[in-house]
Amino acid sequence: MKSQSHVQMFRRWICLLSLLSLPLLFWFGHLIMREDDYPSGQSSGLRGYTRIRPDGKSQFLDIHCDSCALVSSSGQMLNAGAGEEIDQIGCVIRMNNAPTSGFEKDVGSRTSVRVVSHTSVPLLVKNEQYYFRQEADTTYVIWGPERNMRQDGKGPVFNLLLKMATKYPKARIFAITREKIQDCDNVFQNETGKNRMKTGAFLSTGFFTMILAMDICDGVTVFGMIDNNHCSRANRSVVPYHYYEQNRVSECRMYQVHESTRRGGHRFITEKLIYARWAARHNIQFKHPSWSL
């Protein structure tokens, strides 16, 4: 009888321990899932943008802005006088190597994020001390095709960026992932009904910048971007393609050539039509010039 009593007591203790252990097991399982979801302890951020780090550890872009100024590189910014307004907005997003020095009155002086095409990376590296050391507070987001951004040692642009990340450890350099670029292709196809690759086009840096702005900003004010009808208007303003390259081809000429080229062009005008649709669904407004949505 005493032996049976001990067995029953032992069983009760086992049941009690099991009940007490269940919450602990659930909690431990939750920790394991979180670690799997966010490699290397990364617990937040946008998975479509990964930091280029010498140690190879995974880190996602973790930026949120209540309000953003997206500053176009267009010649429309010349004499806009928008610099002070731009600098007062929470986050300022620029593209490629568009300079601020000498243009502060029109485009402002602050840069929070710079979205850069793989083709413009050498221009940044050419002035690496400025971009990756002096402007270390700026976050760089790079886009490019797999052939240039592959991470197996055979991606020339990725290798160049990895060299910069090694040389300037404080520089915040992120790459748009292959999956995110595919998502952007899908967005283009959903909006136009056309497969981006079959049309022989490349998405522009502006397209990736607009996508990023919607990812990180609650509200976006776009400066210096023309709408899709601008170049067909008789009284349109004639400005250079870039505000910092005044002797180059005009903006509308560049847009029209790219829109009609069969292979290798950007569909700038089509993209502007897409942005107008996005503005109707998101908190996006356009200034210098303003758009009638």
Side-chain angles (χ1 to χ4, degrees), residues 132-145:
F132 301 118
R133 188 173 183 177
Q134 186 175 333
E135 292 280 298
D137 291 340
T138 298
T139 297
Y140 296 88
V141 178
I142 318 296
W143 75 271

Side-chain angles (χ1 to χ4, degrees), residues 58-72:
S58 178
Q59 181 179 350
F60 304 127
L61 179 66
D62 194 4
I63 297 177
H64 175 262
C65 306
D66 292 333
S67 60
C68 292
L70 194 166
V71 185
S72 166

Side-chain angles (χ1 to χ4, degrees), residues 81-105:
E84 186 176 348
E85 181 182 2
I86 289 169
D87 281 340
Q88 289 177 352
I89 295 175
C91 294
V92 181
I93 306 172
R94 302 185 192 276
M95 289 176 270
N96 294 320
N97 63 318
T100 57
S101 180
F103 300 94
E104 293 90 344
K105 183 178 178 182

